[in-house]
Amino acid sequence: MTVSVLIHLPGRRLLRHGLLIVASALFTQTALAEADIAAGEALFKRVCGNCHNVGPGARAAFGPQLNGIFGRHAGATQDYKYSPAMQQADVVWDHDTLSAFIKDSDSVVPGNKMRFWGIDDQDKIDGLLLYLKAQQDH
């Protein structure tokens, strides 16, 4: 025989509101991340897409394709002819190295052949990197 006892917890309403707040915060973070990814995609298409490809079926163009860039060694894709500076660079691409490279490519890999003025706005760079991260598995 099972006996159920209902215990009234005075903090039950507080707990419910707390859960709603947490759920709302998670939803907001997800929505912001999606907005940042969308902004990053738009920035990629406008600023990077003339030279680089990313996504399913991406191939090298005027610049290397950027699928799987996170964790990749600089100058490591097989379908692009990199500058000697990039081939010899001791750089593994992660958020910090890519951020610095996007700001000023010559400060990270002096003598590389990418001709790009750079982006100074870290929020834009972060959105761009979120977009590239979303393309990581292609």
Side-chain angles (χ1 to χ4, degrees):
M1 179 173 170
T2 303
V3 176
S4 297
V5 177
L6 181 60
I7 300 173
H8 179 69
L9 298 174
R12 199 165 154 186
R13 178 181 268 179
L14 182 61
L15 178 63
R16 188 174 357 159
H17 290 314
L19 290 174
L20 286 173
I21 290 169
V22 168
S24 176
L26 291 174
F27 176 76
T28 301
Q29 286 178 331
T30 301
L32 288 174
E34 288 174 4
D36 289 343
I37 290 171
E41 180 179 14
L43 182 63
F44 180 87
K45 288 178 179 177
R46 188 174 68 251
V47 175
C48 312
N50 289 329
C51 299
H52 297 281
N53 290 305
V54 69
R59 302 180 74 112
F62 193 71
Q65 57 85 11
L66 300 178
N67 289 342
I69 187 88
F70 290 88
R72 184 193 316 167
H73 287 268
T77 62
Q78 300 301 309
D79 64 343
Y80 185 75
K81 183 166 173 52
Y82 291 94
S83 65
M86 192 63 78
Q87 290 174 345
Q88 297 165 6
D90 188 23
V91 173
V92 175
W93 299 120
D94 62 18
H95 185 276
D96 293 338
T97 55
L98 284 166
S99 288
F101 190 79
I102 291 167
K103 283 181 184 175
D104 180 9
S105 63
D106 283 327
S107 71
V108 177
V109 182
N112 77 81
K113 67 182 180 181
M114 185 167 106
R115 294 298 143 236
F116 176 63
W117 294 100
I119 299 171
D120 287 328
D121 185 331
Q122 190 61 48
D123 289 338
K124 288 182 179 180
I125 292 171
D126 289 342
L128 179 61
L129 294 180
L130 278 174
Y131 173 66
L132 291 176
K133 189 80 164 177
Q135 305 300 316
Q136 185 71 7
D137 294 331
H138 293 288

